[in-house]
Amino acid sequence: MTDDKVIHPISIVGLPGSGKTTFLAALWHLVRSRDIQGRLKLESLRQGNYEHLMDIETRWLIAKEQERTQVAGMRTVSMDLLDAQKRPVRVTFPDVPGEDYQYMWEQRAIDDDLARTLSSGNIMLLLNGNKIEAPNWVYDEAELCRKLNLPLPQGEAVAWHPCLSPTQVQLVDLLQNFRGRPLDCGPRRLAVMISVWDKASGEGKAPEPFLAEKLSLLDQYLRSGKDKWTWRVYGVSAQGGEYDSAKEGATPSPQAAALRDKDIPSERIRLVHGENESHDLTEPLEWLMN
Amino acid sequence: MADELTPKSPSVDQTLHGYSDGHRLIAGTAKLASGDARSMLILSDASGPGVDQAVDGYLTGYPLQGCGKYVLARTWGAPEMSRPGCVWTHSLLIDFADLATLADADGLLSLFRRPDGGRQGYDRRLRVPSIARHAVANSNRAGGLLNALYLHPLKKVEMQVRRMLEDERLVLAVWFQQWPRLRRSFRFCTLMGADRSSSAEMFDLQLVFDRSRTQRVSIDNTAIVEDGPAEIELSTALEDLLHPVPGGLTAFLRRVGGDVSDGRSAMLPLCRLYDALNSLSHNNASFAMALDAFESLSIGQGQAAREIVFEKALELLDSLDDRSFNFVLDNIWSRGLEVDEAVVANIGAVLWRRSPRQFASALEDPDPIGRIARCAIPQIEASLLVNGIARDPEIGRRIVLRRLDLLFDQNFWAIPDLEASSILEVVDVEPSKVPSVLAALVATGRTDVAEAAISRFGAGVVLEVLADFSQSDRMADVGTWTRAVVRHPLEVATVLASGSTLRHVVVELSKSMEPDDLPNDFGDDPWAIASASIGQVEPADEIQFAAFLMARALGYRSRSCATLFAASFECTHKALASGEMPDSAWRRIERRLSWVFPWLEWDRCGRVRQAVVDKFVDLNLDPGTFGRLTTDGSLFADIIDLASRSGRGRRYLARVRRSSSWNTPDDKRGV
């Protein structure tokens, strides 16, 4: 019997701490448990470290902060899903540590394996809405020093390092790399996922306006259409709130307790697109697969 | 942090990795290419999810091939950081060359420092201090680890952590026991949560806290360490770990491992080799074991080991079996081993003793064995050469061409079945040395080469040598040699005509020849010249010789009859008169005398007198010589009387009287 599933490679891209592992844990729970109606359901795990997925799902369920993903090479998770018409599709996620994308920005280099993986399929770009490094204006720094009666450093050279660059500069460069050799495979779809949306939504903006305001460079880059991205912006909170710290002896979080008390864990998930909100993390997947 | 300025201790680069918006290089002294930087980034991160971080951290060791450095790193958990799973890793980057010089890891361990909030102190190279080595205590654990590593050299090895510090010491001791080439390729981690191997680079040894709990991280193709004694072949390695001694196994591995690239697979053969070499006495079997161990290394490996085995073989040269000796031959030059000429000669001598034929066959070969043979042959004692040739006489010719001194050795010529004639044809002997060669030949009693010797060297020198023999007591068959010489009458004539032949030689020749054998077509008769030869001979031989000369003079060949008569008449007559003339000698003369009635045959003296006078008168031989035929007045009167009985004779006598050599009144008496 031939395997006639359509394969949709989707790369989850994001800098360290952007929420990739949390997203994967929540997605895994969502498609496996089917505790809410989602657009895609799990048929089988095709490839991936089942124990690892169960581990991160367990931490997500008990509302405990995920451990960071080690820089230990790329793992691929491949799930066979059924769409609403029960058509089988296969979604593959290369589980890439954020450091690999950081490496692309700082070292201008990419591993061959990762290059092969990223040179096909659409992109889900995760960025931490609560940790956007905005550029500092020299004028503002000077004004602040003046108000605080602090001496303004004169003539002090600061060694520049790529890691000091603003978040959106790194992200735009990352996206531009996808449209150049060796990753270019033509125009793609891009789902920009602003994670930790539970914190970012406090600004009262929908995801797209949030992007335009906080990450204006990225927004302008996408709107210019120069690299022909077909893009959407989502706000996502895969955790739904603050989780307990993984550190020993840390004080439990009341929010985490509340999240654990939910009867339907998947209801922690918040996905916002425009004015619409749901718990279904498969919605951007379905769009990317289209 | 120790930073001693020890003149000879190496210095190392260092780096610090930690979390800062992602796990990254925080500080360091090394400038690395992207590939090496990437490797360090990965291996400086936590060794797997869910690993309980030890208080003192854990060690990871791995090479960076791009920059030629080995990284020894210690990783600590960083719970103070904002994200769980963050770590600090302090790495020491040791040049491969320096790694080879270090005796143990304790100096390196003393340099590790967990950052305490700042990144100061990681921006300069560190000097490795010299610190007393900690011993390995647990022999069962060590034995189990050695078994796993070296009995399963192609597998990853997994060991359960018991006591971090003790385990760390054991791992480091095993690591430093390895020869430098293996050491710098050995990958290990003293606390693992997930297999740290990649598709290209396998971790040799990883320690895990609890295998039963972490079955999910079990590694394929794995050998599990189980406590127990080391296998017998690794017992020396275990003893070396527990009780290291200078010059022990570690030093041996260091010496021989330089070009062994078989990795862990080479440990067993090298341990076997070490054990075999150590147990060597003059026991053939033990050396064979050493050779077995060496040959179990892959082809092309272990040049240093080869040299050690070769040196040992040289010590036991005479007692090696064929296989072991062939190892010496194969390796003396073909593998680039430089060997002292004296050693080469010794090897050649052994080769000669073992197989003279092989040795001789190799002499003309350009290969290493040929070089050995050519180098050795000048130095092998002649007696040994003779013994070897005696075993295989066919090789005598090839050997003697390179050892001409054998030609002077009568033992050489005495070898049965030696192709002496062909040897004489090809050897190039200095003229001054020919007599020595001939003397050796003749002394052996060999006569089969007489003709070959005469044709090669000439009858003259042969005659000289024969003369020497006839005056000595040596049991040489001079007669056969002389008979061979006289088969060359022209050469004999030349020799005799030289006038320098000693009398006894002349006399010997006359015994082997007929009076008319030598030609005298022109000039003086060689026998006449030789009749004046000097030297002492026995009186009987003088008589024989006188009879010979008399017979020649009475014959048809000689142009110097008068001289021959002068040399022989008085002696012959005297011998006949006294009855001392042997019958054989008389028969020579009698055949040339005129016929007489049988009742007159008894008067031999008279017949000789008559024949001599007739010859002088008939052939008008030199009158002066006639006058000097004898000093015996009575005899002289007899021959005068005989001559005067004819007119011709009287006229001859008148000429005798007038000859200048006969002028005294006494001379004229009776005429």
PDB file of all heavy atoms in Angstrom, chain A residues 194-211:
ATOM      1  N   ILE A 194       3.055  35.976  17.371  1.00  0.00           N
ATOM      2  CA  ILE A 194       3.570  36.766  18.495  1.00  0.00           C
ATOM      3  C   ILE A 194       3.197  36.005  19.760  1.00  0.00           C
ATOM      4  O   ILE A 194       2.022  35.948  20.157  1.00  0.00           O
ATOM      5  CB  ILE A 194       2.960  38.171  18.512  1.00  0.00           C
ATOM      6  CG1 ILE A 194       3.236  38.862  17.172  1.00  0.00           C
ATOM      7  CG2 ILE A 194       3.515  38.982  19.674  1.00  0.00           C
ATOM      8  CD1 ILE A 194       2.525  40.193  17.018  1.00  0.00           C
ATOM      9  N   SER A 195       4.215  35.365  20.371  1.00  0.00           N
ATOM     10  CA  SER A 195       3.939  34.512  21.532  1.00  0.00           C
ATOM     11  C   SER A 195       3.887  35.350  22.799  1.00  0.00           C
ATOM     12  O   SER A 195       4.132  36.567  22.782  1.00  0.00           O
ATOM     13  CB  SER A 195       5.022  33.437  21.638  1.00  0.00           C
ATOM     14  OG  SER A 195       6.277  34.023  21.905  1.00  0.00           O
ATOM     15  N   VAL A 196       3.569  34.684  23.876  1.00  0.00           N
ATOM     16  CA  VAL A 196       3.335  35.347  25.172  1.00  0.00           C
ATOM     17  C   VAL A 196       2.305  36.455  24.966  1.00  0.00           C
ATOM     18  O   VAL A 196       2.427  37.573  25.495  1.00  0.00           O
ATOM     19  CB  VAL A 196       4.660  35.887  25.782  1.00  0.00           C
ATOM     20  CG1 VAL A 196       4.502  36.137  27.275  1.00  0.00           C
ATOM     21  CG2 VAL A 196       5.804  34.924  25.544  1.00  0.00           C
ATOM     22  N   TRP A 197       1.275  36.135  24.173  1.00  0.00           N
ATOM     23  CA  TRP A 197       0.272  37.135  23.840  1.00  0.00           C
ATOM     24  C   TRP A 197      -0.532  37.557  25.065  1.00  0.00           C
ATOM     25  O   TRP A 197      -1.077  38.652  25.106  1.00  0.00           O
ATOM     26  CB  TRP A 197      -0.641  36.596  22.736  1.00  0.00           C
ATOM     27  CG  TRP A 197      -1.615  37.633  22.233  1.00  0.00           C
ATOM     28  CD1 TRP A 197      -2.951  37.644  22.414  1.00  0.00           C
ATOM     29  CD2 TRP A 197      -1.282  38.808  21.499  1.00  0.00           C
ATOM     30  NE1 TRP A 197      -3.513  38.745  21.817  1.00  0.00           N
ATOM     31  CE2 TRP A 197      -2.486  39.496  21.250  1.00  0.00           C
ATOM     32  CE3 TRP A 197      -0.092  39.367  21.014  1.00  0.00           C
ATOM     33  CZ2 TRP A 197      -2.541  40.697  20.550  1.00  0.00           C
ATOM     34  CZ3 TRP A 197      -0.164  40.562  20.320  1.00  0.00           C
ATOM     35  CH2 TRP A 197      -1.368  41.215  20.097  1.00  0.00           C
ATOM     36  N   ASP A 198      -0.540  36.665  26.067  1.00  0.00           N
ATOM     37  CA  ASP A 198      -1.265  37.032  27.284  1.00  0.00           C
ATOM     38  C   ASP A 198      -0.648  38.273  27.912  1.00  0.00           C
ATOM     39  O   ASP A 198      -1.330  39.057  28.565  1.00  0.00           O
ATOM     40  CB  ASP A 198      -1.275  35.862  28.264  1.00  0.00           C
ATOM     41  CG  ASP A 198       0.117  35.331  28.528  1.00  0.00           C
ATOM     42  OD1 ASP A 198       0.787  34.883  27.565  1.00  0.00           O
ATOM     43  OD2 ASP A 198       0.573  35.369  29.687  1.00  0.00           O
ATOM     44  N   LYS A 199       0.658  38.469  27.748  1.00  0.00           N
ATOM     45  CA  LYS A 199       1.311  39.674  28.272  1.00  0.00           C
ATOM     46  C   LYS A 199       1.200  40.823  27.257  1.00  0.00           C
ATOM     47  O   LYS A 199       0.905  41.963  27.604  1.00  0.00           O
ATOM     48  CB  LYS A 199       2.801  39.388  28.542  1.00  0.00           C
ATOM     49  CG  LYS A 199       3.066  38.359  29.633  1.00  0.00           C
ATOM     50  CD  LYS A 199       3.010  39.007  30.995  1.00  0.00           C
ATOM     51  CE  LYS A 199       3.121  37.997  32.127  1.00  0.00           C
ATOM     52  NZ  LYS A 199       4.397  37.327  32.202  1.00  0.00           N
ATOM     53  N   ALA A 200       1.434  40.491  25.983  1.00  0.00           N
ATOM     54  CA  ALA A 200       1.471  41.537  24.966  1.00  0.00           C
ATOM     55  C   ALA A 200       0.093  42.153  24.729  1.00  0.00           C
ATOM     56  O   ALA A 200      -0.039  43.330  24.370  1.00  0.00           O
ATOM     57  CB  ALA A 200       2.010  40.968  23.664  1.00  0.00           C
ATOM     58  N   SER A 201      -0.949  41.335  24.947  1.00  0.00           N
ATOM     59  CA  SER A 201      -2.290  41.845  24.654  1.00  0.00           C
ATOM     60  C   SER A 201      -2.701  42.941  25.619  1.00  0.00           C
ATOM     61  O   SER A 201      -3.721  43.623  25.408  1.00  0.00           O
ATOM     62  CB  SER A 201      -3.303  40.695  24.697  1.00  0.00           C
ATOM     63  OG  SER A 201      -3.334  40.130  26.000  1.00  0.00           O
ATOM     64  N   GLY A 202      -1.928  43.107  26.679  1.00  0.00           N
ATOM     65  CA  GLY A 202      -2.235  44.188  27.610  1.00  0.00           C
ATOM     66  C   GLY A 202      -2.181  45.559  26.962  1.00  0.00           C
ATOM     67  O   GLY A 202      -2.716  46.527  27.478  1.00  0.00           O
ATOM     68  N   GLU A 203      -1.531  45.629  25.797  1.00  0.00           N
ATOM     69  CA  GLU A 203      -1.440  46.904  25.102  1.00  0.00           C
ATOM     70  C   GLU A 203      -2.735  47.214  24.381  1.00  0.00           C
ATOM     71  O   GLU A 203      -2.883  48.305  23.797  1.00  0.00           O
ATOM     72  CB  GLU A 203      -0.294  46.843  24.088  1.00  0.00           C
ATOM     73  CG  GLU A 203       1.028  46.462  24.729  1.00  0.00           C
ATOM     74  CD  GLU A 203       2.096  47.495  24.520  1.00  0.00           C
ATOM     75  OE1 GLU A 203       1.854  48.461  23.779  1.00  0.00           O
ATOM     76  OE2 GLU A 203       3.175  47.335  25.091  1.00  0.00           O
ATOM     77  N   GLY A 204      -3.631  46.205  24.351  1.00  0.00           N
ATOM     78  CA  GLY A 204      -4.953  46.453  23.776  1.00  0.00           C
ATOM     79  C   GLY A 204      -4.959  46.507  22.267  1.00  0.00           C
ATOM     80  O   GLY A 204      -5.854  47.106  21.671  1.00  0.00           O
ATOM     81  N   LYS A 205      -3.978  45.914  21.656  1.00  0.00           N
ATOM     82  CA  LYS A 205      -3.942  45.967  20.200  1.00  0.00           C
ATOM     83  C   LYS A 205      -4.112  44.564  19.645  1.00  0.00           C
ATOM     84  O   LYS A 205      -3.756  43.573  20.274  1.00  0.00           O
ATOM     85  CB  LYS A 205      -2.608  46.536  19.732  1.00  0.00           C
ATOM     86  CG  LYS A 205      -2.430  48.014  20.020  1.00  0.00           C
ATOM     87  CD  LYS A 205      -1.108  48.521  19.424  1.00  0.00           C
ATOM     88  CE  LYS A 205      -1.075  50.031  19.379  1.00  0.00           C
ATOM     89  NZ  LYS A 205      -1.301  50.654  20.687  1.00  0.00           N
ATOM     90  N   ALA A 206      -4.659  44.539  18.431  1.00  0.00           N
ATOM     91  CA  ALA A 206      -4.691  43.268  17.715  1.00  0.00           C
ATOM     92  C   ALA A 206      -3.274  42.946  17.245  1.00  0.00           C
ATOM     93  O   ALA A 206      -2.414  43.833  17.216  1.00  0.00           O
ATOM     94  CB  ALA A 206      -5.651  43.352  16.532  1.00  0.00           C
ATOM     95  N   PRO A 207      -3.040  41.701  16.865  1.00  0.00           N
ATOM     96  CA  PRO A 207      -1.685  41.310  16.493  1.00  0.00           C
ATOM     97  C   PRO A 207      -1.059  42.147  15.391  1.00  0.00           C
ATOM     98  O   PRO A 207       0.096  42.553  15.504  1.00  0.00           O
ATOM     99  CB  PRO A 207      -1.856  39.849  16.059  1.00  0.00           C
ATOM    100  CG  PRO A 207      -3.014  39.358  16.860  1.00  0.00           C
ATOM    101  CD  PRO A 207      -3.937  40.517  16.977  1.00  0.00           C
ATOM    102  N   GLU A 208      -1.818  42.465  14.343  1.00  0.00           N
ATOM    103  CA  GLU A 208      -1.187  43.209  13.248  1.00  0.00           C
ATOM    104  C   GLU A 208      -0.807  44.614  13.665  1.00  0.00           C
ATOM    105  O   GLU A 208       0.335  45.035  13.414  1.00  0.00           O
ATOM    106  CB  GLU A 208      -2.116  43.248  12.027  1.00  0.00           C
ATOM    107  CG  GLU A 208      -1.856  42.078  11.078  1.00  0.00           C
ATOM    108  CD  GLU A 208      -2.394  42.310   9.687  1.00  0.00           C
ATOM    109  OE1 GLU A 208      -2.235  43.428   9.151  1.00  0.00           O
ATOM    110  OE2 GLU A 208      -2.944  41.350   9.133  1.00  0.00           O
ATOM    111  N   PRO A 209      -1.671  45.347  14.286  1.00  0.00           N
ATOM    112  CA  PRO A 209      -1.248  46.667  14.749  1.00  0.00           C
ATOM    113  C   PRO A 209      -0.119  46.594  15.754  1.00  0.00           C
ATOM    114  O   PRO A 209       0.756  47.466  15.796  1.00  0.00           O
ATOM    115  CB  PRO A 209      -2.515  47.245  15.387  1.00  0.00           C
ATOM    116  CG  PRO A 209      -3.644  46.500  14.787  1.00  0.00           C
ATOM    117  CD  PRO A 209      -3.118  45.129  14.496  1.00  0.00           C
ATOM    118  N   PHE A 210      -0.150  45.568  16.578  1.00  0.00           N
ATOM    119  CA  PHE A 210       0.958  45.384  17.542  1.00  0.00           C
ATOM    120  C   PHE A 210       2.272  45.244  16.799  1.00  0.00           C
ATOM    121  O   PHE A 210       3.275  45.861  17.146  1.00  0.00           O
ATOM    122  CB  PHE A 210       0.679  44.143  18.397  1.00  0.00           C
ATOM    123  CG  PHE A 210       1.738  43.878  19.435  1.00  0.00           C
ATOM    124  CD1 PHE A 210       1.612  44.413  20.716  1.00  0.00           C
ATOM    125  CD2 PHE A 210       2.851  43.089  19.151  1.00  0.00           C
ATOM    126  CE1 PHE A 210       2.582  44.176  21.680  1.00  0.00           C
ATOM    127  CE2 PHE A 210       3.808  42.862  20.113  1.00  0.00           C
ATOM    128  CZ  PHE A 210       3.682  43.398  21.388  1.00  0.00           C
ATOM    129  N   LEU A 211       2.251  44.445  15.768  1.00  0.00           N
ATOM    130  CA  LEU A 211       3.463  44.241  14.975  1.00  0.00           C
ATOM    131  C   LEU A 211       3.913  45.544  14.361  1.00  0.00           C
ATOM    132  O   LEU A 211       5.090  45.888  14.370  1.00  0.00           O
ATOM    133  CB  LEU A 211       3.206  43.187  13.881  1.00  0.00           C
ATOM    134  CG  LEU A 211       4.435  42.817  13.045  1.00  0.00           C
ATOM    135  CD1 LEU A 211       5.342  41.877  13.822  1.00  0.00           C
ATOM    136  CD2 LEU A 211       4.010  42.159  11.730  1.00  0.00           C
TER     137      LEU A 211
END
